[in-house]
């Protein structure tokens, strides 16, 4: 009887750990926008591993811990912040694989435009995550504009057609 | 003592199963956009039961497993895809009832429009879900444009005023 | 052995309770839009404590249970509803602290504008929540337009820079 209960407890622990992982990654992704839109460089850096990279197209990949100032204090982002902006992340599609995970979702940048807000960017995002001693962190973020080119569609496709990867 | 522990374990199992159901349905809904926007017909079909239907207004209900090509390869959707588009689902309001569930949320279709993205559709969605041997699947999706007419408001209303249903 | 199992069960109960709290607050926040957009005053009131307040800028804080009619039946909201509108809440950043919690997220109001929808408001939201006998309720909601002024950025900042609060 005790062995059966032990097995049930162990099964619960494993299942609960997966739920906690999912909610921790939701929380991580929900932190990105508030960190970016309040120009909180330490908070942005804290989402990534120390060697974590970000590739938003054009300039190629950069290391967030080194280049966050270019990202957050650069003219494009500062222009959005001055107008009033929201970097909003959608509920991610999430695949866990032990100490690694991949989240795929949409981001949109809304910026004030006279009496309303305009969607300045709509992108597909792939977040490659790893479990660290301090919790889940982003190892690589890939962001591609949904501008009709194939690249963004492939980001989305990889999430829903795993056998084609 | 052992009986009390057994009861606590059984209570945990039931509560955890509900959390897992909630997160599985979040995941299902977060899969729709990436599947549609990457024109992944098998992935769209995989979200629905074999007889699962979709009613997006106008043409009435269609059976997704049979008519996915009309949905995904039709001129309206292909036009959005060529311009660059994002079908984004909001965090759903979710009611579970054993092996059935109802999720209500907003969808928006963003499509590129010159140098920005425009919201081409904003809709209320009702997802009627069932638990199958392979997990949660959509039995019926109702989508109504939030265009000021009563129909979309009734979709939202049914989620928050259960006694009026 | 029994003591060790009891401790494992107690640990599971505490961890699961936190997951349930997180998902209950997601659900609460996902209810706001459907309640507001279907002009369901009782449902809006039901999200708040009896003395729960809302501060959307301009007019200062009001008590939702008393003033919901001004909020939901006022000319601004009714104008949106007549055109067709969606109050969409993003996945929140969430900090739990026993029987209190703070959620920070983005809200957007989409309203029909000819053949598309326009983002009429994009705001930072801070939801101060308390656990009550009937579940989590909102004690205070602060909403600030992301219009380039400092106030909205401070709402976001407080979520990601706890030491600066």
């Amino acid at each position: 009887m005790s062995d059966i209960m032990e097995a049930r407890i162990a099964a619960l622990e494993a299942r609960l750990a997966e739920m906690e992982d999912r909610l921790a990654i939701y929380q991580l992704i929900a932190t990105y926008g508030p960190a970016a839109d309040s120009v909180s460089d330490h908070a942005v850096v804290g989402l990534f591993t120390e060697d974590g990279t970000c590739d938003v197209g054009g300039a190629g990949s950069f290391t967030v811990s080194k280049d966050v100032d270019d990202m957050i204090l650069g003219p494009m982002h500062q222009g959005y912040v001055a107008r009033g902006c929201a970097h909003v992340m959608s509920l991610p599609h999430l695949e866990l694989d032990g100490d690694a995970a991949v989240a795929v979702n949409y981001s949109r940048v809304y910026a004030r435009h006279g009496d309303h807000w305009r969607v300045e960017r709509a992108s597909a995002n792939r977040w490659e995550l790893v479990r660290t001693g301090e919790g889940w962190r982003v190892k690589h973020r890939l962001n591609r504009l949904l501008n009709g080119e194939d690249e963004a569609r492939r980001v989305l496709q990889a999430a829903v057609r795993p056998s084609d990867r």
Side-chain angles (χ1 to χ4, degrees), chain A:
Chain A
M1 180 61 181
S2 176
D3 278 359
I4 293 171
M5 290 216 293
E6 203 286 332
R8 286 170 70 183
I9 292 172
L12 279 166
E13 286 167 339
R15 288 164 57 192
L16 182 59
E18 186 185 322
M19 295 300 103
E20 289 173 332
D21 285 344
R22 290 187 167 271
L23 288 173
I25 294 170
Y26 282 3
Q27 172 84 348
L28 191 79
I29 286 175
T31 308
Y32 181 84
D37 292 324
S38 64
V39 197
S40 300
D41 49 352
H42 289 291
V44 172
V45 168
L47 300 174
F48 288 80
T49 59
E50 210 185 312
D51 60 353
T53 49
C54 191
D55 174 351
V56 297
S61 263
F62 57 90
T63 302
V64 177
S65 63
K66 284 185 198 163
D67 298 324
V68 68
D69 284 356
D70 296 346
M71 183 180 170
I72 291 290
L73 302 176
M76 185 166 138
H77 190 75
Q78 285 294 310
Y80 286 146
V81 169
R83 282 162 64 187
C85 72
H87 286 69
V88 184
M89 296 295 156
S90 73
L91 186 66
H93 177 276
L94 190 47
E95 293 292 343
L96 302 177
D97 182 17
D99 293 335
V102 173
V104 169
N105 75 342
Y106 297 96
S107 59
R108 287 136 298 160
V109 179
Y110 302 84
R112 193 166 60 89
H113 186 78
D115 64 349
H116 64 281
W117 278 256
R118 212 167 75 157
V119 183
E120 301 291 342
R121 295 176 62 92
S123 306
N125 289 265
R126 176 182 173 89
W127 307 78
E128 296 176 7
L129 302 134
V130 287
R131 189 197 309 275
T132 75
E134 293 93 51
W136 288 94
R137 292 291 182 272
V138 184
K139 198 175 163 179
H140 184 58
R141 178 190 175 205
L142 176 65
N143 173 291
R144 285 293 178 267
L145 284 177
L146 286 153
N147 57 8
E149 287 176 28
D150 229 32
E151 227 179 330
R153 278 198 296 276
R154 279 199 299 262
V155 172
L156 302 174
Q157 187 180 310
V160 298
R161 300 191 208 169
S163 57
D164 298 355
R165 260 179 212 159

